[in-house]
Amino acid sequence: MADSEPTNTSTTPQMSPAEMSGLARRLHARADSVLMRDQPGQQIDMRTAARLVEQLIHLRAELRRAADATDDESTERHLREILGGG
């Protein structure tokens, strides 16, 4: 018997935009730290991860604005599901 619950929902708590921003700042700071100067590969990875977090913050904000602006209930519900109910 098929389960009516979506299979792609996450039970992991969502990070707030402020928490994600803090994470991005910490990743940038660690990449720029003296300790990473002799590890250019890790520096690049940390900077890339920080940029991805920043892009995720922007994407989530745009999805939230789209959900707020749409008049279509199905689209709004779907966008809010993507956002984790937020």
Side-chain angles (χ1 to χ4, degrees):
M1 187 177 246
D3 191 26
S4 63
E5 293 295 315
T7 59
N8 63 346
T9 58
S10 172
T11 58
T12 305
Q14 297 288 320
M15 288 180 81
S16 72
E19 290 170 322
M20 289 191 296
S21 264
L23 174 60
R25 281 192 306 274
R26 290 190 306 276
L27 287 169
H28 275 297
R30 287 183 185 135
D32 294 339
S33 76
V34 174
L35 298 173
M36 286 290 152
R37 290 199 180 137
D38 65 339
Q39 311 236 355
Q42 285 186 353
Q43 274 186 319
I44 291 167
D45 289 348
M46 283 189 172
R47 287 185 182 120
T48 301
R51 282 193 306 273
L52 289 171
V53 170
E54 291 163 346
Q55 289 174 4
L56 178 59
I57 294 166
H58 177 73
L59 177 61
R60 288 180 54 85
E62 290 298 317
L63 286 170
R64 190 168 287 111
R65 277 193 282 280
D68 291 343
T70 187
D71 291 329
D72 183 69
E73 290 178 23
S74 175
T75 300
E76 179 184 0
R77 184 173 46 254
H78 182 67
L79 290 171
R80 295 202 189 281
E81 286 173 2
I82 291 170
L83 289 166

